[in-house]
Amino acid sequence: MPHVPPTRTRLVVGAAVVDDLDRPTRLLAARRNAPAALAGFWEFPGGKVDPGETAEEALHRELDEELGVRVRTGEEVLGAGCVDDPDHGRVWPLTGELVLRLWLAEAVDGTSARPLADHDELRWLTAHDLWTVPWLPADALALRRIEQLLT
């Protein structure tokens, strides 16, 4: 049987934007409007890491492009659903070859998030109402970890 090399994964970065890094009570959710297959689902804002970019650089770029917001990042969100990826370390598995690194983040410099690219609505959710919107199935494991962090 011929040796089949393992499929390399592509890194996606995301932010669990919260109201306060030290005592988070609310999470900012973003509703996708593109592509059509994902429209109407809610997610953590973020996106793919471009060649030559670090994960952290990509995170800041994506949040600026998608929400027009600058953030201070906190701890990386890890949990029981994470797996070890040879290229990207501890990650949340998404779909196919995509894996996610997720950070807590808080808006800084008085910036207010607004839907710009790929989203048409933003909503602040408490632990009580996290599941009142239809999340992308791939974000569900990480969302359960975020739910534990909200006070």
Side-chain angles (χ1 to χ4, degrees):
M1 192 162 173
H3 173 70
V4 178
T7 304
R8 290 190 62 121
T9 56
R10 176 117 192 245
L11 183 60
V12 173
V13 293
V17 179
V18 293
D19 55 342
D20 185 283
L21 282 176
D22 297 321
R23 295 186 48 86
T25 62
R26 298 180 302 152
L27 171 72
L28 184 67
R31 185 173 68 186
R32 291 204 60 102
N33 63 354
L38 303 179
F41 286 100
W42 294 75
E43 70 172 358
F44 302 109
K48 294 180 181 138
V49 177
D50 288 339
E53 224 177 12
T54 68
E56 291 86 357
E57 289 168 343
L59 181 68
H60 288 280
R61 175 186 51 77
E62 286 286 345
L63 293 175
D64 183 47
E65 290 173 3
E66 291 184 359
L67 307 178
V69 70
R70 291 176 17 117
V71 298
R72 176 170 63 103
T73 55
E75 67 184 62
E76 193 164 355
V77 179
L78 300 170
C82 287
V83 298
D84 289 315
D85 181 271
D87 296 318
H88 307 296
R90 294 288 289 167
V91 295
W92 296 94
L94 294 176
T95 57
E97 313 111 24
L98 298 177
V99 296
L100 172 70
R101 286 184 62 192
L102 182 68
W103 283 267
L104 288 176
E106 177 183 5
V108 296
D109 297 336
T111 56
S112 230
R114 60 198 184 281
L116 298 173
D118 299 328
H119 300 99
D120 63 0
E121 186 179 340
L122 302 178
R123 196 178 291 175
W124 285 101
L125 302 171
T126 64
H128 177 73
D129 55 20
L130 274 182
W131 300 100
T132 62
V133 299
W135 285 86
L136 285 172
D139 283 347
L141 281 177
L143 188 62
R144 290 198 187 287
R145 177 65 184 122
I146 297 297
E147 185 176 27
Q148 296 169 348
L149 299 175
L150 296 179
T151 57

